[in-house]
Amino acid sequence: DVKVTQSSRYLVKRTGEIVFLECVQDMDHENMFWYRQDPGLGLRLIYFSYDVKMKEKGDIPEGYSVSREKKERFSLILESASTNQTSMYLCASSLSLAGEGAYEQYFGPGTRLTVT
Amino acid sequence: QKEVEQNSGPLSVPEGAIASLNCTYSDRVSQSFFWYRQYSGKSPELIMSIYSNGDKEDGRFTAQLNKASQYVSLLIRDSQPSDSATYLCAVNRGSTLGRLYFGRGTQLTVWP
């Protein structure tokens, strides 16, 4: 079974703090993704990575950065947390392969971040 | 036009009925299609993948794909209260480094 873990289930931070969200997958997946999910807005892609040290912006990268130094780990960084970054953050990973099973994304349990 | 559109719902069906969830997508080059189930407060869980036209069955779930009409659906037979969740449709457009485009989801309630 694919396992994607996230460092915290719940996190409370103050405005202006730096926030690190960690994601680890144990299935040697090439692709990793960070989403945020808000009521009425659905899943929105922040950043993704298709290889170590490679990253691509998603639809809402502003205010976020990412790091992928090892294949199994993908970190999301909020450089200066703001209240509008209060959200559920979801990490996912997938294999790059052709045919059946291609691009199936598996999600971690999520981190509910509150910025006060 | 949104990449992926789903019936906004909510959809309510009685226990034992067939629940039908629909999804349309805008990009004709889309190649891979997925259905996720998300219980309230939990993360999305992959329940079906479909890559070619036609039907694909897995237990009580059947995914149907029609690329000509740019339409993918999920049928849940013999619906159970435990199927009550939000169902997300997702699409991969081929050479996009594994990125999926998600619909906003359809909330399904199965009442006893």
Side-chain angles (χ1 to χ4, degrees), chain A residues 24-58:
Chain A
V24 178
Q25 50 91 7
D26 68 355
M27 286 302 291
D28 205 32
H29 284 178
E30 293 87 0
N31 307 317
M32 296 188 74
F33 307 83
W34 275 107
Y35 297 90
R36 63 178 284 180
Q37 188 174 36
D38 302 285
L41 296 178
L43 275 170
R44 293 184 290 168
L45 182 64
I46 304 170
Y47 268 99
F48 63 107
S49 169
Y50 55 93
D51 200 351
V52 174
K53 296 192 188 293
M54 306 305 289
K55 62 183 179 185
E56 291 284 334
K57 292 180 180 178

Side-chain angles (χ1 to χ4, degrees), chain A residues 31 33 35 37 40 43 45 48 50 59 90 100-109, chain B residues 32 34 36 38 41 43-44 46 49 51 56 88 92 94 96-100 102 104:
Chain A
N31 307 317
F33 307 83
Y35 297 90
Q37 188 174 36
L43 275 170
L45 182 64
F48 63 107
Y50 55 93
D59 297 323
L90 292 158
E100 288 289 319
Y103 305 126
E104 291 178 344
Q105 282 188 20
Y106 296 90
F107 284 82
Chain B
S32 311
F34 309 90
Y36 287 81
Q38 186 174 24
S43 60
L46 179 67
S49 307
Y51 301 91
K56 180 180 179 183
L88 303 173
N92 173 264
T96 52
L97 306 173
R99 176 176 177 165
L100 298 184
F102 284 84
R104 293 196 179 181

Side-chain angles (χ1 to χ4, degrees), chain B residues 54-85:
Chain B
D55 294 359
K56 180 180 179 183
E57 190 174 313
D58 184 1
R60 295 185 296 110
F61 298 98
T62 299
Q64 299 174 317
L65 175 61
N66 183 326
K67 289 186 178 180
S69 300
Q70 295 174 239
Y71 177 93
V72 58
S73 65
L74 180 71
L75 300 178
I76 306 174
R77 290 184 302 282
D78 188 24
S79 295
Q80 301 296 310
S82 58
D83 295 325
S84 298

